[in-house]
């Protein structure tokens, strides 16, 4: 029992396969795989970060606008209670509505500019992700070529055996 060897769970060198098997170790593809994963995850993280930061900014600006408009609405209602003549009431309402229309227009222009900025940054992140995907395809193609190159010598060594086995013995 002293000479018995207990191989590690991930020790593949002791395994003998009959079919052509590429030589590999536990970490033979890890470096390439890690790079592919890192590029892909970084691209998605960048897209997610940009999306959430723009959504947060848009929501904050909109909530500030709504709060401001509610305050203005209550101020208008208070000033209407102090009007004593119809002309005064019309002037107050005309001021209120013209100011309100201007503020809504400015707010929607700001929101549209924020949306355009968010869209352009998102498109740039998608372009980077697309470039990473193309690089990943190239890396995977190289990995497939290397695997095929590893398999060719193994196939060549097993074919004469198969041919010899197929010949009838005399």
């Amino acid at each position: 029992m002293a000479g018995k060897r207990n191989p590690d769970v991930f020790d593949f060198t002791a395994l003998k396969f009959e079919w052509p098997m590429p030589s590999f170790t536990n970490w033979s593809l890890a470096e390439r795989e890690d790079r592919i994963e890192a590029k892909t995850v970084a691209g998605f993280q960048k897209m997610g970060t940009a999306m959430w930061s723009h959504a947060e900014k848009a929501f904050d600006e909109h909530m500030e606008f709504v709060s401001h408009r509610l305050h203005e609405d209550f101020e208008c209602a208070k000033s209407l209670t102090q009007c004593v003549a119809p002309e005064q009431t019309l002037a107050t309402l005309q001021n209120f509505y013209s100011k309100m229309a201007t503020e809504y227009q400015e707010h929607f222009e700001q929101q549209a500019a924020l949306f355009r900025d968010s869209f352009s940054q998102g498109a740039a992140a998608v372009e980077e992700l697309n470039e990473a995907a193309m690089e990943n395809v190239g890396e995977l193609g190289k990995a497939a070529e290397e695997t095929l190159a590893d398999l060719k010598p193994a196939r060549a060594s097993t074919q004469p055996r198969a041919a010899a086995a197929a010949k009838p013995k005399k």
Side-chain angles (χ1 to χ4, degrees):
M1 290 264 188
K4 186 174 180 186
R5 181 175 168 246
N6 291 326
D8 186 23
V9 176
F10 294 106
D11 183 14
F12 298 115
T13 59
L15 298 175
K16 303 291 183 202
F17 295 102
E18 296 297 322
W19 68 86
M21 185 77 173
S23 59
F24 63 93
T25 65
N26 300 338
W27 299 103
S28 62
L29 297 176
E31 183 179 329
R32 178 180 286 141
E33 187 178 79
D34 288 343
R35 282 184 296 176
I36 289 171
E37 180 183 1
K39 285 179 187 176
T40 306
V41 169
F44 281 114
Q45 285 176 336
K46 186 174 183 179
M47 285 176 49
T49 302
M51 179 193 72
W52 285 114
S53 67
H54 285 106
E56 179 184 20
K57 186 175 181 183
F59 188 72
D60 285 345
E61 287 181 7
H62 187 68
M63 291 309 294
E64 286 175 16
F65 174 75
V66 168
S67 175
H68 168 73
R69 285 304 320 148
L70 281 173
H71 177 72
E72 291 294 316
D73 291 350
F74 285 124
E75 289 300 317
C76 178
K78 279 192 336 188
S79 63
L80 284 174
T81 60
Q82 297 170 357
C83 293
V84 289
E87 299 84 22
Q88 205 176 10
T89 303
L90 286 176
T92 302
L93 286 174
Q94 187 176 4
N95 253 353
F96 170 75
Y97 283 119
S98 63
K99 184 178 178 184
M100 180 183 71
T102 303
E103 287 179 357
Y104 268 102
Q105 183 177 359
E106 289 171 358
H107 174 67
F108 287 128
E109 286 173 0
Q110 289 173 351
Q111 291 288 314
L114 186 61
F115 177 73
R116 281 191 303 273
D117 184 44
S118 176
F119 184 75
S120 63
Q121 285 186 7
V126 167
E127 185 64 32
E128 287 179 23
L129 190 60
N130 186 34
E131 289 172 8
M134 296 304 290
E135 289 176 21
N136 291 346
V137 167
E139 288 291 321
L140 291 173
K142 288 177 191 175
E145 289 172 3
E146 291 170 6
T147 302
L148 285 175
D150 285 347
L151 286 175
K152 285 182 183 177
R155 284 186 186 161
S157 65
T158 58
Q159 285 177 354
R161 287 186 205 157
K167 287 186 182 178
K169 293 183 182 179
K170 293 182 182 180

